[in-house]
Amino acid sequence: AASLVKKSDNSSFFVGAVPTAAEIAELAIQFANKVPESQFSIAQLQGYLLCSKRNPHGAISNIDQWLADRQKEQADKEARLAKKAEEKAKWLKKEKFRQRKEKQMEEEMEKEMLAEDEEAKKSENVQEKGDQDSGAAEERHAAEDDLKTADGASDKDSEPVIVESVRPSPSSP
């Protein structure tokens, strides 16, 4: 495996002159001073540095633009999230209003149905009472007719009854 790895000359790896250890330490300090703490992930910083691995001086000179671009991206992301949250809040408000209206309509329909049921029951009661009253009236009329007939009075629809008196005839002895 060692024979497959070819030693390369560091001078062809870097753009410009090969930085010394002291220059690398100074560049690291400059980089650390420019990057705000806890604002970017290690992966984000590593991605930036990997893009500039052959040009350490360019990494330092371009960091300001990279930071500005990332901050703009973050602000845009926050604006999109805020807009999305606002839209969701509006939708929720509309949905709650719709649900309240739907519930109100259901309650009104329930009240109307109960009122209709009550009205139907009242109508049935009135009709039953009317039927009972007319039945009682019919019974009263029938009883009165029976009384009249029993007293010898005739009903206007019936024919008069002729009553003959029978006297015994004198019999011959």
Side-chain angles (χ1 to χ4, degrees):
S3 63
L4 295 176
V5 177
K6 182 180 175 187
K7 285 190 173 185
S8 64
D9 182 14
N10 283 339
S11 63
S12 65
F13 182 78
F14 292 103
V15 175
V18 176
T20 64
E23 287 178 325
I24 291 175
E26 180 60 31
L27 290 172
I29 291 170
Q30 288 176 16
F31 182 81
N33 287 337
K34 289 189 175 203
V35 176
E37 287 187 37
S38 304
Q39 190 171 351
F40 300 100
S41 70
I42 292 174
Q44 288 174 312
L45 295 173
Q46 186 178 21
Y48 172 75
L49 291 172
L50 283 173
C51 291
S52 303
K53 69 182 177 181
R54 293 184 179 206
N55 186 3
H57 292 286
I60 299 302
S61 62
N62 296 329
I63 190 66
D64 292 329
Q65 183 61 45
W66 183 85
L67 291 171
D69 291 345
R70 298 299 80 74
Q71 288 172 343
K72 185 178 182 311
E73 287 173 4
Q74 185 65 28
D76 291 346
K77 181 180 178 181
E78 289 173 3
R80 282 191 311 272
L81 290 174
K83 184 177 180 181
K84 190 174 182 178
E86 183 180 330
E87 289 172 355
K88 186 175 181 178
K90 284 181 182 179
W91 180 84
L92 285 173
K93 186 177 179 180
K94 287 180 182 179
E95 183 64 16
K96 285 182 181 180
F97 177 78
R98 186 194 64 76
Q99 288 175 351
R100 279 194 311 267
K101 277 301 235 188
E102 187 175 293
K103 185 177 180 182
Q104 184 181 20
M105 288 175 62
E106 287 174 0
E107 289 172 354
E108 287 175 6
M109 288 176 61
E110 183 74 25
K111 286 178 184 178
E112 287 177 11
M113 290 173 62
L114 288 173
E116 287 174 3
D117 288 346
E118 287 295 319
E119 189 64 33
K121 286 180 183 178
K122 285 180 183 177
S123 294
E124 288 174 8
N125 289 342
V126 167
Q127 187 175 2
E128 287 175 5
K129 187 175 181 184
D131 290 346
Q132 290 172 352
D133 289 347
S134 66
E138 287 175 10
E139 289 175 12
R140 207 173 25 247
H141 289 301
E144 289 173 359
D145 288 344
D146 289 344
L147 285 175
K148 287 180 185 177
T149 306
D151 289 342
S154 64
D155 192 20
K156 58 182 171 182
D157 293 335
S158 62
E159 294 183 19
V161 177
I162 300 174
V163 177
E164 293 181 19
S165 60
V166 179
R167 288 188 193 175
S169 55
S171 52
S172 10

